[in-house]
Every structure is written in structure tokens, then in C-alpha cells.
Amino acid sequence: MKRLLVAAVAATAIASASVAAFAETKLDVWHVINIDKDMVHDGIKSFNEIDQNVQAEERIVPFAQLEPELLKAIATGDVPDAVMLASNSVPAFVVGNALMDLTEMVAGSDKVNGEDYHPGPWNSAQWDGKVYAVPRAANTLALYYNKDLLDEKGISVESLGTWDGLISAAEALTVPGERFGLAFSAIATEEGTFQFLPWLWQAGADIDTLDTPEAASALQVWVDLVKNGHSSKDVLTMRQFEGTSTFMAENAALVISGPWELPRIEKDAKFNWGVRTLPVKDGVNIEASALGDYNWVIPTGAKDPGASFKFIEYMTSEDVVKNAWDSGRLSARADIDVLVNQWPDAFATFNEQMKSARQRGPDPKYGEKSRVIQKAIQQAMTEELTVEAALTEAAAAIAKIK
């Protein structure tokens, strides 16, 4: 049986390769998604079934390598035809003349309409009044909790709705040497900034107001959680994936993470769990989270922009996007009801959180500013500098970034 299965898979692969080899137009498509259930894979497969003369060939590029490789490809003139680019990276690539202006294509399209999209994702596709991308999906952060442990400690889910409530719960749920109360990612990469920005916004501050008491109050929460032993020192090097892993292993009772982790949590968590919206700062009550996911773009120098755009039109159509939630992705389009075949409560929570999800930037210099914030987080959490000193230094550095 195993031999037959291997033979069948091989035959399918050969047949697909043959179709692509003889297609009149072959589209080289780059993306970072290696989750089998993600809509991108079936979307490309069904796109290729529409017209065998236009075939898309996907290349999965590791997240950290995609942007450097794309820049290298543009510099050498050997560019892919369509790329899934992190939404916050679009302005920097536009300013670097690395992306095609899609404004006229969108204006002439009966499939891509900015009015159909949620404001945040659609804004992330534009720069200086022009359209350079089409959002493919959206995600944001919320708070996962171990319901069994909350019940054991008599902690209500509602009490996690404020900073003070979350901090108290993290303390009560911590068992020294066995379990931390809260896991999150403070790693010195974009993931760390992505996780910190909601706290900064909830405090009433922003990237350009880091040297304020409001910003200090946000970072102080992270510092105190680690200093008091209610979060692991490993958060300094922990990616979001690893933070979620500690939650699933019951080494953390709470974790801040995104909907993309739902398939993994559903499969591996051996306890009752739930997810709720992020807490707000007591007395300030600003709801905020960070907007994530990817946009489809056409790099400068793509050989057949028309064919590339038709591919993007299909990949952002209802036929594809309706399956977004199968891998824990939300629709960037407000006019599409995604199929909710699983995790209905989590879907409701993340949809609610999306209402307060903010775009990072938009700013061509966002990446530089993000790295400054990452440095400040590391300096404060390792007690190299006080919170105020780290943020004052960061504010001065950001002020010089023009």
C-alpha cells in the first residue's frame, strides 16, 4: 500500500510539473507559509486548474530570508512574479522602488475594491495615495488562558481584562520551578515589537512618544513580570512560537499570541483552554492590538504584471479567502464571511480584537524604529538601564531617523 501511495504522489507531482513546464506563462510565487492547511496552498492549486496555460509555482521562503532575498532578486533583475510581503514592510519597499504601482490595475479591476476591505489592512496596502499591494489576510494578538488552572485558582476570565487583573493572575498562577504565570515574546526582532506595541498603545503612548510616563508604564509591566518571576527570563529570546509551546506544555498558564496558533493548540494542548481580548490599562481603557499578516505585491521588474495581478485577484477572492479560518487567519475583506468550521469562540474573540488592531507604521523607516524599540526593551529587561533611561535613549534615537 505504501508503495502505491508513494507512486501516486510521485505521479501527481510529475503531472503537475509537466503542466507547469508546458504552460505559456509560468508565475514564480514566493511566500512564507509552511502550514499545510493555509489557504495559500489550495488557492494556488485551484488557480492552476483554471487555465493550464498560466501556472503558478510556489516557493516557500523562510520569513527571515524573504525580504533580503527579494531585494537581491530585484537588484539582479531575476524577480519573482508575485510575493507575499509582511504588511508593515510595504512602505519601505515602495520608497526603495522595489514594488510596482498597482493603482491603475486596482481601479480597473472588478475583483479588488478597497471599499471591501477592513480599513487597517487596506491602509497597509497604500503609500502616498497609491496602491502597491492587496491584503491577503489579517491577524492580531489576544490572550490565551488555561481554563483548568484559572478554575483551580478561582480566577475569572473577566478579571484578565485589565493590566492589574492580568498581573495579579500571573502572580497567582506562578509555581516557582514549575510554571510561570504569563508567556510573551520580548525577543529582539520584529516579533518583540509586535508584542510590545499593544501595551504601548493601551498606555496612551506611541512610537514617537517613548520618553513619556505612559510609555514607561507599559515597559515597566514587562520588566516587573520577569523581575518578580511571574514570566520567564526566556521571554527575552523567545519567539511567539516558543511562547505558545510553553503554554501548551503547561509551563505557562497564560500566553499572548495570535490566531495562527489555533491549529497547534487544538492538537497538542491537553487541557481546557480559551482566548479573550487583550487587557486594557486600568483607568485608561484604550483597547489596542497590533495588526499582522501579509499583502500580495508585484516586485519591480516582474515579467508579466498583468498575469501577476490576475493571480493576486484570484488569491484574494472569496473562493480562496473563505477558507482563511481553517489555519486561524482572519479575512482582510469585510465583505466575505469566512467559513467557521472550528473554534467559533476564538473566532468571535479575534474578530472583536480586530476592531482595535492598529497597523505598524505606516512608515518606510518603521524597521529602523522597530529595532530601536527592541534595543530599549532588552536594555530595560536585563536591567542594563532603567525603563526611563532606555526609553529616553530610544526616543532620541528615533527622533534622528528621518
Side-chain angles (χ1 to χ4, degrees):
M1 179 62 76
K2 186 175 180 180
R3 288 184 178 179
L4 289 174
L5 179 60
V6 171
V9 171
T12 301
I14 291 170
S16 299
S18 297
V19 169
F22 293 104
E24 294 178 1
T25 300
K26 290 185 286 186
L27 300 176
D28 185 14
V29 176
W30 291 9
H31 66 79
V32 301
I33 307 296
N34 58 7
I35 301 172
D36 292 342
K37 286 187 174 180
D38 191 275
M39 59 183 173
V40 69
H41 305 295
D42 281 345
I44 291 175
K45 182 181 177 182
S46 54
F47 173 81
N48 286 342
E49 292 171 353
I50 296 172
D51 182 356
Q52 293 192 346
N53 287 320
V54 182
Q55 296 288 294
E57 294 181 321
E58 62 180 326
R59 179 192 169 202
I60 302 175
V61 184
F63 175 80
Q65 297 176 21
L66 187 135
E67 293 186 10
E69 287 207 27
L70 179 57
L71 291 172
K72 182 179 178 181
I74 293 169
T76 60
D78 185 19
V79 302
D81 298 287
V83 177
M84 191 187 290
L85 188 65
S87 57
N88 61 291
S89 296
V90 169
F93 275 76
V94 171
V95 171
N97 296 317
L99 301 183
M100 293 196 63
D101 180 355
L102 307 182
T103 306
E104 290 188 8
M105 290 185 184
V106 170
S109 174
D110 60 359
K111 298 181 176 60
V112 178
N113 184 345
E115 294 181 354
D116 292 337
Y117 285 78
H118 292 293
W122 186 247
N123 287 339
S124 75
Q126 301 174 74
W127 180 250
D128 200 21
K130 296 182 179 178
V131 181
Y132 290 90
V134 181
R136 80 121 196 169
N139 69 59
T140 190
L141 294 168
L143 177 68
Y144 288 91
Y145 54 86
N146 183 319
K147 189 174 186 307
D148 293 340
L149 293 176
L150 291 188
D151 291 345
E152 181 182 310
K153 294 292 184 180
I155 299 171
S156 69
V157 174
E158 290 73 21
S159 70
L160 303 176
T162 65
W163 285 14
D164 286 351
L166 177 64
I167 292 167
S168 296
E171 178 180 4
L173 292 164
T174 296
V175 179
E178 180 180 330
R179 183 180 68 229
F180 291 99
L182 173 66
F184 58 93
S185 174
I187 192 171
T189 69
E190 179 54 30
E191 288 189 62
T193 311
F194 183 61
Q195 289 248 329
F196 179 65
L197 285 177
W199 294 84
L200 187 67
W201 293 327
Q202 290 159 15
D206 208 337
I207 291 177
D208 297 327
T209 57
L210 290 178
D211 54 348
T212 61
E214 289 80 9
S217 69
L219 185 52
Q220 192 66 56
V221 172
W222 277 21
V223 170
D224 289 345
L225 282 166
V226 172
K227 187 176 181 179
N228 295 331
H230 304 147
S231 292
S232 169
K233 293 179 180 176
D234 291 343
V235 299
L236 284 162
T237 57
M238 189 182 286
R239 297 186 60 205
Q240 296 179 101
F241 178 91
E242 294 156 346
T244 306
S245 294
T246 65
F247 172 73
M248 293 191 299
E250 297 191 72
N251 293 324
L254 308 162
V255 65
I256 294 174
S257 195
W260 61 84
E261 293 287 18
L262 284 163
R264 213 158 57 97
I265 293 174
E266 173 72 18
K267 178 175 177 288
D268 294 333
K270 307 304 181 187
F271 51 85
N272 293 307
W273 56 272
V275 59
R276 62 149 297 141
T277 53
L278 294 177
V280 296
K281 183 179 179 181
D282 304 75
V284 178
N285 300 324
I286 298 175
E287 295 182 355
S289 189
L291 179 65
D293 222 278
Y294 300 90
N295 291 346
W296 285 108
V297 299
I298 302 176
T300 300
K303 61 182 180 294
D304 191 341
S308 297
F309 190 71
K310 286 188 178 300
F311 170 78
I312 291 173
E313 284 184 320
Y314 182 75
M315 295 301 289
T316 55
S317 70
E318 183 170 4
D319 286 346
V320 176
V321 175
K322 69 182 180 183
N323 298 310
W325 192 243
D326 287 349
S327 61
R329 305 280 174 171
L330 299 167
S331 172
R333 287 179 55 171
D335 65 326
I336 293 178
D337 292 326
V338 301
L339 300 175
V340 184
N341 297 317
Q342 51 196 341
W343 321 304
D345 292 341
F347 179 78
T349 295
F350 279 106
N351 253 341
E352 180 64 25
Q353 190 74 74
M354 275 297 294
K355 295 177 182 176
S356 58
R358 302 187 190 180
Q359 182 185 0
R360 290 162 285 165
D363 185 346
K365 301 291 185 180
Y366 171 78
E368 290 182 50
K369 295 180 179 178
S370 174
R371 286 189 286 276
V372 171
I373 293 173
Q374 294 158 28
K375 181 181 177 181
I377 292 170
Q378 296 278 318
Q379 287 174 320
M381 296 186 71
T382 59
E383 299 188 70
E384 177 185 340
L385 293 176
T386 65
V387 166
E388 289 77 10
L391 290 175
T392 298
E393 185 176 298
I398 285 177
K400 294 178 182 176
I401 298 174
K402 303 296 182 184

